[in-house]
């Protein structure tokens, strides 16, 4: 039977039961870990407390870096005479993190997540120090690339830790804790970074964060060594490195960078890097994502596809919200950012809701509803281009969209672990993160190209200046409406999350 053929409820139940009974499945492993009572315990019980606090602290560190560094970046680029290279400070992080995700997946499956997590956190801190002490823009970008390597290693290793150390019924709760770890940084990070940049200088934002690495390392690593170190099956021979996947990882990183560059340079010559990027991306995507992802095959392929659709559409749209409020409604950058501050809270709320035990039988419906909220929020955003529409309408709509995203992102992580055998968690987690990151850059590039083509102006400068007024209103609609359509497609994909699992 093809993965695309419809299945009735009885068939789905049989498949789910078969997956749960497989000796190597995470569902079976989780049940064994939890003991005879699958619903006992919590992420803060004595067996999990140190590990939970440690890995959530790692997420908190990454979240604070993401929000704080973004605030300091324009000042750093200006002082280093690197405004023309400003976008590459972001793309360098993304490009290297894509490669690191694949590397971390294989590394974790072969030897366990402890080593890639340790190396990743160390590289993350080293990259911050390199950028913070840079005397030229190229050195700053190099630091961001090293930081991306660390970030890619860390995020995949954390997923493997969750898959191995937590029983199935506890995974929604730890994923909700990951989402909650972004709330405080999303509110405090920009304000703290702005204050530090103004009074001490932008370099302190970069060199100060590595100090925070000590606590997560001291708390998480001993707990990981006890609960999730080593290969999934210590008795099985260690598989060799898959050199083909590593080559594909290099291809997907380079291809994504070329497409992003082409999207920023709207010239005929840009077709050359765009074609080269596509030639590298197509075989890499087919080789690194689960078979059937591009056609939304039921089960794991649709989970991976949905993650990319949700993250890419939402992030691409959100990137233009502050710019629209500044250029079209005259808000200051601070007020424009604050209009989205509630999104961090509703995102955490959505993740918390999906972690409640009573939602488990309705997880697919919850994800569908979440994608509908995301699509409606993105579609409603350009309504503030009409001056009669108050700005708070967008704030409310975006809060609802973040509520949907919280449920969708956490649920895709939970479903990925449920549908993966222990020896496949690393590779499948890497595929999930690749789908997320690659969709971000592709949809951002497409949105940015449409925005510029319709008279949007220079995005990088407008975001940091309240005086920017050159953007045409129609350019914003050209970004938001297609992204809303992409999110609507995601609502259909969300109906296909239950099915065959890792193999068609």
């Amino acid at each position: 039977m093809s993965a695309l053929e419809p299945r009735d409820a009885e068939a789905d139940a049989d498949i789910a039961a078969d997956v749960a009974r497989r000796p190597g499945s995470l569902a079976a492993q989780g049940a064994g870990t939890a003991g005879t009572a699958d619903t006992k315990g919590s992420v803060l019980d004595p067996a999990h407390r140190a590990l939970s606090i440690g890995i959530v602290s790692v997420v908190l560190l990454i979240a604070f870096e993401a929000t704080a560094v973004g605030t300091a970046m324009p000042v750093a680029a200006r002082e280093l005479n690197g405004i023309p290279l400003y976008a590459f400070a972001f793309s360098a992080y993304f490009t290297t993190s894509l490669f690191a995700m694949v590397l971390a997946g294989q590394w974790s499956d072969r030897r366990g997540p402890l080593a890639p997590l340790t190396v990743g956190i160390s590289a993350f801190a080293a990259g911050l120090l390199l950028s913070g002490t840079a005397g030229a823009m190229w050195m700053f970008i190099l630091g961001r690339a090293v930081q991306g390597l660390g970030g890619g290693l860390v995020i995949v290793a954390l997923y493997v830790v969750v898959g191995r150390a937590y029983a199935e019924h506890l995974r929604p709760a730890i994923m909700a804790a990951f989402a909650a770890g972004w709330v405080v940084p999303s509110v405090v990070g920009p304000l703290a970074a702005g204050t530090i940049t103004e009074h001490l200088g932008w370099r302190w934002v970069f060199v100060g964060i590595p100090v925070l690495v000590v606590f997560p390392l001291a708390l998480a690593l001993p707990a990981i060594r006890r609960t999730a170190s080593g290969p999934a099956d210590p008795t099985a021979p260690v598989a060799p490195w898959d050199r083909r996947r590593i080559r594909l990882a290099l291809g997907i990183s380079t291809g994504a960078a070329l497409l992003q560059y082409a999207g920023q340079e709207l010239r005929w010559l840009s077709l050359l890097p765009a074609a080269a990027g596509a030639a590298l991306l197509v075989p890499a995507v087919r080789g690194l994502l689960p078979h059937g992802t591009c056609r939304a095959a039921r089960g794991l392929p649709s989970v991976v596809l949905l993650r990319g659709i949700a993250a890419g559409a939402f992030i691409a749209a959100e990137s233009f919200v502050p710019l629209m409020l500044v250029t079209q409604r005259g808000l200051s950058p601070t007020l424009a950012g604050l209009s989205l501050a509630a999104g961090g809270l509703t995102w955490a709320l959505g993740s918390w809701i999906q972690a409640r035990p009573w939602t488990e039988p309705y997880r697919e419906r919850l994800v569908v509803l979440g994608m509908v909220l995301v699509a409606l929020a993105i579609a409603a955003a350009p309504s503030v281009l009409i001056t009669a529409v108050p700005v708070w309408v967008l704030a409310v709509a975006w809060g609802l969209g973040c509520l949907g995203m919280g449920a969708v992102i956490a649920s895709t992580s939970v479903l990925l672990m449920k549908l993966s055998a222990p020896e496949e968690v690393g590779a499948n987690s890497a595929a999930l993160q690749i789908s997320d990151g690659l969709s971000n850059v592709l949809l951002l590039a497409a949105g940015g190209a449409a925005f510029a083509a319709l008279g949007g102006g220079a995005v990088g400068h407008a975001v940091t200046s309240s005086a920017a007024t050159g953007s045409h209103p129609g350019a914003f609609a050209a970004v938001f409406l297609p992204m809303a359509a992409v999110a609507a497609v995601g609502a259909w994909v969300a109906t296909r999350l239950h099915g065959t699992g890792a193999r068609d």
Side-chain angles (χ1 to χ4, degrees):
M1 179 180 289
S2 168
L4 282 176
E5 292 177 9
R7 295 182 173 89
D8 57 24
E10 182 179 357
D12 281 346
D14 290 341
I15 292 168
D18 178 66
V19 171
R21 285 193 298 266
R22 281 191 300 164
S25 73
L26 277 176
Q29 186 189 49
T33 303
T36 57
D38 287 346
T39 58
K40 288 184 179 180
S42 74
V43 296
L44 291 177
D45 61 25
H48 297 96
R49 185 178 299 129
L51 178 62
S52 297
I53 295 175
I55 61 177
V56 171
S57 297
V58 173
V59 173
L60 191 70
L61 171 69
I62 294 173
F64 186 79
E65 178 276 338
T67 56
V69 168
T71 302
M73 196 82 76
V75 180
R78 185 170 61 247
E79 289 193 8
L80 294 174
N81 297 317
I83 292 295
L85 301 175
Y86 181 79
F88 290 99
F90 294 95
S91 61
Y93 181 101
F94 169 78
T95 301
T96 55
S97 67
L98 274 178
F99 172 73
M101 289 171 188
V102 178
L103 182 65
Q106 289 198 45
W107 196 353
S108 297
D109 285 341
R110 295 178 75 252
R111 299 293 185 183
L114 182 62
L117 183 62
T118 305
V119 173
I121 293 178
S122 301
F124 190 80
L128 283 166
L129 290 174
L130 187 59
S131 291
T133 57
M137 191 62 181
W138 68 266
M139 184 65 71
F140 182 89
I141 293 173
L142 177 62
R144 291 288 293 166
V146 174
Q147 204 180 328
L149 281 173
L153 290 172
V154 167
I155 191 63
V156 173
L158 283 179
Y159 272 63
V160 178
V161 170
V162 171
R164 292 192 184 183
Y166 294 86
E168 184 177 341
H169 72 280
L170 295 179
R171 291 175 199 147
I174 195 64
M175 288 300 168
F178 282 4
W182 280 81
V183 174
V184 174
S186 66
V187 177
V188 176
L191 179 60
T195 302
I196 293 172
T197 300
E198 182 178 349
H199 295 285
L200 298 177
W202 64 268
R203 295 183 186 275
W204 285 99
V205 175
F206 289 85
V207 301
I209 292 177
V211 177
L212 304 176
V213 169
V214 177
F215 175 75
L217 282 176
L219 197 58
L221 296 186
I224 294 172
R225 186 177 290 109
R226 291 193 304 270
T227 60
S229 61
D233 184 358
T235 63
V238 177
W241 287 95
D242 189 338
R243 298 181 184 277
R244 175 178 173 274
R245 288 183 66 84
I246 293 177
R247 289 194 298 269
L248 291 175
L250 287 172
I252 203 170
S253 298
T254 306
L258 288 172
L259 282 175
Q260 189 175 40
Y261 172 79
Q264 293 171 350
E265 298 290 334
L266 297 180
R267 299 179 298 174
W268 285 109
L269 288 178
S270 299
L271 293 175
L272 294 177
L280 289 171
L281 271 182
V282 171
V285 168
R286 291 176 61 87
L288 293 174
L289 299 187
H291 179 64
T293 297
C294 294
R295 55 186 173 87
R298 286 187 177 273
L300 182 63
S302 284
V303 172
V304 172
L305 178 61
L306 177 62
R307 178 61 164 261
I309 288 175
F314 189 81
I315 297 303
E318 187 176 56
S319 299
F320 288 87
V321 170
L323 178 64
M324 180 173 63
L325 294 177
V326 168
T327 61
Q328 305 301 312
R329 297 303 297 264
L331 270 67
S332 68
T334 301
L335 288 178
L338 288 176
S339 67
L340 303 179
L345 296 173
T346 56
W347 189 304
L349 177 61
S351 187
W352 179 85
I353 290 172
Q354 67 79 38
R356 299 306 90 197
W358 58 266
T359 64
E360 186 58 38
Y362 310 103
R363 184 172 296 279
E364 184 176 287
R365 296 180 185 177
L366 180 64
V367 175
V368 173
L369 176 60
M371 287 307 304
V372 170
L373 289 177
V374 171
L376 291 176
I378 297 174
S383 65
V384 298
L385 294 170
I386 304 172
T387 55
V389 177
V391 172
W392 62 259
V393 170
L394 185 146
V396 171
W398 215 251
L400 291 174
C402 287
L403 178 70
M405 283 293 291
V408 170
I409 296 300
S411 289
T412 53
S413 301
V414 171
L415 288 168
L416 176 120
M417 295 175 198
K418 185 176 182 179
L419 295 172
S420 300
E423 67 274 9
E424 299 172 341
V425 175
N428 289 342
S429 297
L432 190 76
Q433 297 301 325
I434 288 170
S435 178
D436 187 319
L438 182 61
S439 180
N440 279 343
V441 75
L442 293 181
L443 290 180
L444 272 169
F451 183 79
L454 292 179
V459 175
H461 298 285
V463 170
T464 59
S465 173
S466 59
T469 57
S471 300
H472 191 278
F476 291 101
V479 173
F480 289 110
L481 297 183
M483 296 307 159
V486 171
V489 172
W492 170 78
V493 175
T495 66
R496 306 178 61 78
L497 301 183
H498 292 294
T500 57
R503 296 178 177 85
D504 289 347

